Amino acid sequence: MTDNTNNRRSWMIVSAHDAAALARCADIKPDVVVLDLEYTVPPKAKAAAREGLTAVIQKLADSQVEVFVRIDRDTRWADVRAAVTRGIRGIVFPGADSTDEVAEVGELITAIERERGVEPGATELVLMLESARGFWNADAIAKASPRVTALGVGRIDLTMRLGPVPQNEFRLYRFLMTRALLVARMLGKQPLGALWRPDSRGGVASKESTAKAAREARLMGFTGCVCAAPEQVAAVNEGFAQ
């Protein structure tokens, strides 16, 4: 499996069913386009988003963009089956917290690669930790499949499950980032995360705040992060620049 992690600073989330957003990818130039089948796709649009994935992946891959698909943990079997095709680089698996489910997804990818004539082992797995159990089991789940190439820190589910501190900061955020970083470095995976501040995170973060979050994460040892908005891509690339 080719190691391209140094070139993967900005991982831009794009809703898999949003044609206009997909058309703008070439102009925004993120290092990685992450086609989303999770939060940004309403339930009524899920089936259509899955059906259109192959064409979208091939179009983006033809333009030399690295393409990943973020699956929904609850519908991971259908999402993986829709996503694995020629041109895809990997799957982003949010919320994984057991070795069994990571191994299961890895085995499913293997079966689909064989079925569709995709190079064996070419499809990567990126795990986004989003629960106390996931962080506790981080080293074990990251070793559950040889396909795992990156380990990241999720935010939305994490803060809902652990709760914010009174200042609206994520509870144990620095500790959890450090744990994910250490596990990723120990196992030779790319560490993904940004040190977001209260009231300046996700889709509402300004370019300045995004660059600062990325820069501080780089100083901790991270090498890239997820972008929730296209306006953040340049700021993330700047923050993670060496």
Side-chain angles (χ1 to χ4, degrees):
M1 194 173 292
T2 303
D3 181 6
N4 293 326
T5 53
N6 289 337
N7 299 322
R8 294 173 176 176
R9 300 158 299 174
S10 50
W11 296 62
M12 187 178 75
I13 299 292
V14 183
S15 178
H17 82 302
D18 188 338
L22 291 166
R24 292 196 298 270
C25 289
D27 296 327
I28 298 165
K29 295 183 172 60
D31 292 340
V32 179
V33 171
V34 182
L35 300 175
D36 190 31
L37 290 174
E38 196 189 20
Y39 288 121
T40 66
V41 181
K44 64 181 180 181
K46 293 271 188 179
R50 291 191 196 105
E51 290 171 6
L53 266 183
T54 297
V56 172
I57 290 168
Q58 291 176 350
K59 183 175 181 180
L60 289 171
D62 287 344
S63 62
Q64 305 304 307
V65 174
E66 287 205 286
V67 185
F68 282 67
V69 173
R70 183 169 73 174
I71 61 175
D72 189 313
R73 185 186 181 200
D74 292 338
T75 57
R76 56 188 180 273
W77 305 277
D79 291 351
V80 168
R81 180 159 290 280
V84 176
T85 186
R86 291 180 182 273
I88 193 177
R89 289 310 302 263
I91 300 292
V92 176
F93 185 3
D97 62 13
S98 76
T99 57
D100 288 347
E101 61 187 1
V102 174
E104 175 189 59
V105 167
E107 290 165 4
L108 176 59
I109 293 172
T110 297
I112 301 172
E113 283 178 340
R114 187 181 303 116
E115 174 187 313
R116 297 179 183 171
V118 177
E119 180 186 350
T123 310
E124 302 175 31
L125 258 179
V126 174
L127 305 180
M128 300 301 292
L129 305 178
E130 296 183 346
S131 69
R133 186 183 180 196
F135 280 96
W136 186 262
N137 295 328
D139 57 339
I141 65 174
K143 291 186 289 188
S145 171
R147 295 181 181 277
V148 177
T149 57
L151 195 64
V153 181
R155 300 191 304 275
I156 296 176
D157 284 349
L158 178 60
T159 195
M160 286 193 298
R161 290 172 181 172
L162 299 183
V165 297
Q167 293 79 19
N168 197 33
E169 183 57 274
F170 291 125
R171 190 176 299 278
L172 302 177
Y173 192 40
R174 281 182 178 272
F175 164 74
L176 296 174
M177 286 189 71
T178 302
R179 178 162 178 76
L181 174 68
L182 290 175
V183 170
R185 290 293 188 181
M186 175 180 71
L187 299 177
K189 317 299 183 184
Q190 182 182 13
L192 297 175
L195 192 56
W196 301 104
R197 299 297 182 179
D199 303 319
S200 183
R201 59 173 71 104
V204 302
S206 66
K207 295 178 182 178
E208 293 76 14
S209 296
T210 299
K212 182 179 180 180
R215 185 166 56 251
E216 291 186 321
R218 177 176 63 81
L219 292 174
M220 291 178 70
F222 289 85
T223 59
C225 75
V226 169
C227 307
E231 295 78 17
Q232 297 170 348
V233 169
V236 165
N237 288 343
E238 173 192 335
F240 281 108
Q242 297 295 328

